[in-house]
Amino acid sequence: MSQLILKGINKKYENAEHYSVQDFNIEIEQGELIVLVGPSGCGKSTTLRMIAGLEDITEGEFILDGEVVNDKSSKERDIAMVFQSYALYPHMSVEENVGYGLKLRKTDKQEMGKLVSKVSEDLGLTPYLERKPKDLSGGQRQRVALGRAMVRTPKLYLMDEPLSNLDAKLRTVMRTEISRMHREKGVITIYVTHDQTEAMTMADRIVVMSMGEVQQIGTPRELYNNPKNIFVATFIGQPQMNIVRGEFDGQNFNCDAFSIALPEGDAKQLSDLGYQGKQIVLGVRQQNIRDEQLYKDAFPGSKFTATPVNIEYLGDHVSAFFEVEKGNLFCAKLSTSTDAVVDTPHEFVVEGTKLYYFDPETENAIFYK
Ligand code: ADP
Ligand code: MG
């Protein structure tokens, strides 16, 4: 059973002014697939490289199976890694590349043959075993790099954007394959990506990072339903959550574009927390802005009229965009039977059961549901 603990991990590069990673804390249990996600430069790779032993940990402790391993080498930590740049050995065949880690560890020849054929089969590499990397496509090379890591059963798998060189279709196939192989092995996997869809679909738990700091850790469901702050709310979930600042008068939320009654329970909580007469930030997901009569009847207090500046037909739904303040477009995900027309005032309704509220100063969620 493996267990991994990061305790107050900080990283400041030698010549850097600022910390690249600040106060990173997590406990990871056997078999978990953890995804670090966040925009470029937020410290994901730095965190992964510290875990890998490729970068020093400036402050804090990395504990693997009860032992502080800050000063241990990558090899001693027993980690297999996959990076975006696959760095295969050009003079070796696919088979030799995949088996290389096993050969280094002096694995029995027969055993090695079995493991290499199994992983090659799983990754669809069997027809190319004799080829050299230069005779493979980008996607095939990336699969060889994955195979090279997954052929072993280390204490930890670390993957840094391993799919970002692949086209969208292959990425979808590969992320299923990685999840499946991870489940089969039951080895802790830490996977880095800037792509929230990859995070949502693969992770047992997601760590959302921004500017070197962990914003929130939770299951995909937890982060989607209960984002801790505006950053997480707008980063997690496709399509993106709409947010707008306005005033809460004790019952209604009023912004330039609309005024809607908030559900009684929400209004009471906001009032109890002292937000009456104050500015708040309202968050509403695209699928919770509707225009069907059924919803208008159910939420009569939260109807409003707005003029779509753009309407996109997407086959299974229609996206209608309207401006709520300068430079802030709300998007409503409507049914394809909508009669909304561009540049023509249209009546919308906010489904009042699924609203999010944030403090405009701290940007934190005002309360959790
Ligand atoms: P991510 O992987 O999330 O895109 P990184 O971990 O690569 O982010 O980078 C986090 C921050 O640390 C960035 O501001 C980056 O410029 C800085 N950084 C990364 N590597 C180095 C380095 N070797 N020396 C100095 N600063 C670095
Ligand atoms: Mg990176």
Side-chain angles (χ1 to χ4, degrees):
M1 289 293 279
S2 285
Q3 189 204 34
L4 185 161
I5 301 176
L6 298 181
K7 227 188 221 174
I9 296 285
N10 291 286
K11 175 68 185 185
K12 191 165 176 290
Y13 285 103
E14 227 160 72
N15 300 316
E17 255 179 66
H18 302 284
Y19 277 83
S20 291
V21 174
Q22 284 183 61
D23 197 26
F24 197 118
N25 290 286
I26 193 169
E27 287 190 21
I28 304 174
E29 299 298 333
Q30 171 79 31
E32 274 195 289
L33 197 163
I34 300 290
V35 177
L36 307 186
V37 70
S40 175
C42 72
K44 305 178 298 289
S45 295
T46 301
T47 305
L48 204 72
R49 292 172 61 81
M50 286 192 281
I51 296 171
L54 300 171
E55 286 291 346
D56 288 337
I57 296 171
T58 310
E59 288 131 32
E61 279 185 337
F62 171 22
I63 303 165
L64 194 54
D65 293 344
E67 190 187 356
V68 178
V69 294
N70 288 41
D71 296 327
K72 290 207 163 171
S73 71
S74 292
K75 190 148 181 255
E76 289 169 313
R77 294 180 195 193
D78 191 16
I79 285 168
M81 284 174 270
V82 191
F83 297 107
Q84 181 179 350
S85 57
Y86 10 81
L88 303 175
Y89 300 106
H91 59 286
M92 291 186 196
S93 68
V94 167
E95 187 171 15
E96 288 163 331
N97 265 289
V98 171
Y100 189 65
L102 295 174
K103 196 170 162 197
L104 275 186
R105 283 169 184 78
K106 309 220 172 356
T107 311
D108 169 76
K109 258 222 164 100
Q110 214 183 346
E111 176 70 9
M112 188 162 123
K114 255 203 299 196
L115 290 168
V116 171
S117 5
K118 163 93 172 66
V119 85
S120 305
E121 193 63 45
D122 284 349
L123 289 167
L125 289 170
T126 310
Y128 318 110
L129 285 176
E130 303 307 319
R131 288 203 199 165
K132 296 276 163 62
K134 68 171 174 31
D135 301 322
L136 299 174
S137 71
Q140 290 162 343
R141 284 182 211 162
Q142 189 65 67
R143 278 182 274 165
V144 177
L146 271 167
R148 194 170 56 178
M150 311 266 327
V151 74
R152 295 209 300 118
T153 305
K155 273 193 188 161
L156 266 183
Y157 289 116
L158 301 179
M159 305 189 183
D160 195 346
E161 314 234 9
L163 306 183
S164 49
N165 288 333
L166 308 185
D167 65 51
K169 205 167 151 195
L170 193 53
R171 255 200 323 263
T172 313
V173 176
M174 290 305 295
R175 90 188 172 218
T176 312
E177 198 47 49
I178 293 174
S179 300
R180 199 184 60 69
M181 285 172 35
H182 163 261
R183 274 200 306 279
E184 210 172 279
K185 295 266 188 178
V187 168
I188 291 177
T189 302
I190 306 181
Y191 186 101
V192 161
T193 178
H194 63 275
D195 177 354
Q196 74 86 34
T197 308
E198 240 169 73
M200 289 293 273
T201 51
M202 296 178 70
D204 291 315
R205 282 190 297 155
I206 298 174
V207 180
V208 182
M209 297 182 73
S210 167
M211 298 198 292
E213 291 185 47
V214 172
Q215 302 296 311
Q216 190 170 0
I217 301 178
T219 64
R221 241 171 237 277
E222 281 164 358
L223 297 195
Y224 187 86
N225 291 324
N226 276 324
K228 250 190 185 158
N229 56 35
I230 293 179
F231 183 84
V232 177
T234 51
F235 193 80
I236 294 291
Q238 187 66 300
Q240 203 181 26
M241 186 191 284
N242 298 298
I243 59 165
V244 64
R245 196 175 162 136
E247 184 238 4
F248 171 61
D249 66 12
Q251 277 173 334
N252 307 295
F253 174 83
N254 309 303
C255 64
D256 290 350
F258 57 81
S259 177
I260 57 167
L262 297 185
E264 252 175 58
D266 290 4
K268 178 164 186 326
Q269 279 200 65
L270 289 168
S271 299
D272 288 350
L273 291 165
Y275 283 93
Q276 181 161 358
K278 296 227 172 101
Q279 293 279 308
I280 60 171
V281 173
L282 175 76
V284 47
R285 294 209 185 268
Q286 300 188 6
Q287 66 271 27
N288 300 126
I289 305 178
R290 321 288 304 228
D291 64 354
E292 296 99 320
Q293 194 56 44
L294 186 70
Y295 289 93
K296 292 178 189 169
D297 293 343
F299 303 98
S302 53
K303 291 187 287 192
F304 65 92
T305 299
T307 304
V309 293
N310 192 16
I311 303 248
E312 291 174 354
Y313 174 76
L314 291 143
D316 66 333
H317 75 271
V318 167
S319 287
F321 297 86
F322 55 90
E323 200 167 53
V324 288
E325 59 193 350
K326 197 147 179 55
N328 183 2
L329 281 185
F330 258 40
C331 178
K333 193 173 171 184
L334 304 175
S335 128
T336 49
S337 59
T338 182
D339 55 1
V341 179
V342 76
D343 291 337
T344 309
H346 186 72
E347 191 176 55
F348 294 93
V349 56
V350 171
E351 207 179 333
T353 44
K354 291 166 187 151
L355 301 177
Y356 299 82
Y357 309 99
F358 304 94
D359 183 294
E361 306 311 322
T362 64
E363 302 203 346
N364 288 330
I366 294 175
F367 56 81
Y368 283 158
K369 289 203 188 145

